[in-house]
Every structure is written in structure tokens, then in C-alpha cells.
Amino acid sequence: MKRATSTPAGLNVKKITAYLKGQAKSRNAVRITCQGGSVYIFTGYAAFKLPAILYRDVIQPVTMQDAPADGVTIVSSDAGFVVNDPHQLTAAQMFQKFSACKEEVKRTSILQEVEAKGKVWGTFRMFRDGSRPIMINSEYDAFVDHHEFVYHGSNNPLSPILATDTVDPKKAAVSVLIAPMKANDEIQQVCNRLFA
């Protein structure tokens, strides 16, 4: 059976699965919890809340095992995915802790190349909260179809951006948390003019 590359939820399944496979190569870099009909995936730079029905298409190719039981968290390890220490936060608890984003954030058409040590390190999509620029790695921005998602943020410039498939983040069936990068002074000044 051919696996779909996207779902009605507006997810780029190929990109998300490839990203999770890359993250899973680092010990404990990915944690996955199934809870109440949803599956929560938490990594260092992005986190996802998806309907559990999508587990087979999106996550099973990464874990190579069936979904964990309700309330159980599995983490990436040297031996594949193993059951997590029950005394640590679950992926669902971590997601809820970081997803308290209420302010609407605008996605812009501006892409910015960022250099590190004289080489292009990556391309970042510019988001904005008023005149405050928010830089999101374009790879992470491509996880969702921006026509189907609304973006939310908070006052902290380094807190994650929450992309949801409904206007109300609490009622969203699909949510994606994306870690931003702080804009440097030069980008801040350019954006102050652009977003004024």
C-alpha cells in the first residue's frame, strides 16, 4: 500500500517523518506519548499533536513498532524506541507546558538566509508579532500547509510558535510547536521598517 505524502489535516507527512528519523538517531531526542485519542511527539526543535489514527502513516515508519498504550511514553534510544521512565514528563505534558500561546502571529513571505562562520547555515521564514520579527527554520515551517493553519505566540521571543488547524488552539485536532531563533539587531532593524 502506498503511503500518502499529505493528509487532510494539511501535514507534510514526508517531511515530518524524515525529520523524526533524523532526530531519532540521537539518544532520547524523540519522545512519543499516546493519550486520549491523540499522539504527542516531542523533539528538541519541534513538537506535534496529531490524531492517533495518523500514527501508522507518520510515526510508525520511525519507531518501527505499534503505538504505545494510552498514557505510555516511548523514547528514542540506542536500541530503537523503549519505554520511558514513568517519573519523567510525558510528551503530552511537555507539549501542554509549552503550547500556552494565545497571541496571533503573522506568517510573512520574507525568507532570510542566516550565515554562521562565513557559510549559509540555513534559510529562515520571517513571522511577526506586531513589529517583532520571529525567525523559524524554513524546514520546520514546511511541516504544515500554511493555508490551513493559524499561528500563535506569546510575549517571550524565544517561546515556541504554535501552528494549529483551527483558530482556537485548545480545540485543534492537529497542532505543531516550532522553536524560533532570535533575530539579530540587523534583521530587527530591517523588520522594524518593513512591519511598521
Side-chain angles (χ1 to χ4, degrees):
M1 182 165 58
K2 190 170 180 248
R3 185 176 297 116
T5 55
S6 62
T7 71
L11 296 171
N12 188 329
V13 170
K14 273 188 175 176
K15 268 203 179 299
I16 293 170
T17 303
Y19 166 75
L20 291 174
K21 280 182 178 175
Q23 290 287 299
K25 289 175 184 169
S26 300
R27 195 172 201 276
N28 297 336
V30 180
R31 63 180 59 222
I32 298 164
T33 304
C34 288
Q35 185 174 312
S38 294
V39 56
Y40 296 84
I41 309 110
F42 214 91
T43 77
Y45 303 101
F48 308 86
K49 174 197 169 193
L50 311 174
I53 197 166
L54 295 179
Y55 184 93
R56 283 187 61 191
D57 282 337
V58 184
I59 305 147
Q60 197 158 351
V62 180
T63 64
M64 306 302 283
Q65 57 187 258
D66 289 335
D70 200 78
V72 173
T73 298
I74 56 174
V75 298
S76 53
S77 74
D78 298 334
F81 277 81
V82 297
V83 174
N84 188 42
D85 177 352
H87 296 90
Q88 293 187 6
L89 291 177
T90 68
Q93 289 167 328
M94 292 173 78
F95 193 97
Q96 282 146 15
K97 179 180 174 184
F98 288 104
S99 64
C101 302
K102 295 174 186 164
E103 300 172 30
E104 190 169 342
V105 171
K106 298 287 184 189
R107 181 183 186 275
T108 77
S109 60
I110 303 166
L111 287 171
Q112 173 72 41
E113 284 188 340
V114 174
E115 289 188 4
K117 298 180 182 174
K119 292 184 179 177
V120 174
W121 177 55
T123 305
F124 287 75
R125 168 78 57 187
M126 303 302 294
F127 288 72
R128 69 186 179 102
D129 174 9
S131 64
R132 178 171 67 93
I134 302 165
M135 297 174 66
I136 300 286
N137 188 314
S138 57
E139 179 190 349
Y140 308 149
D141 175 50
F143 288 152
V144 299
D145 180 346
H146 69 273
H147 294 104
E148 296 185 37
F149 280 72
V150 178
Y151 297 86
H152 305 270
S154 69
N155 289 324
N156 184 338
L158 292 178
S159 68
I161 298 300
L162 177 66
T164 64
D165 65 339
T166 66
V167 176
D168 184 352
K170 289 195 166 106
K171 293 182 181 170
V174 179
S175 303
V176 180
L177 278 171
I178 314 168
M181 190 179 99
K182 194 172 189 308
N184 63 26
D185 291 341
E186 183 184 347
I187 291 169
Q188 177 76 58
Q189 288 167 10
V190 170
C191 290
N192 284 347
R193 291 195 297 271
L194 288 170
F195 304 153

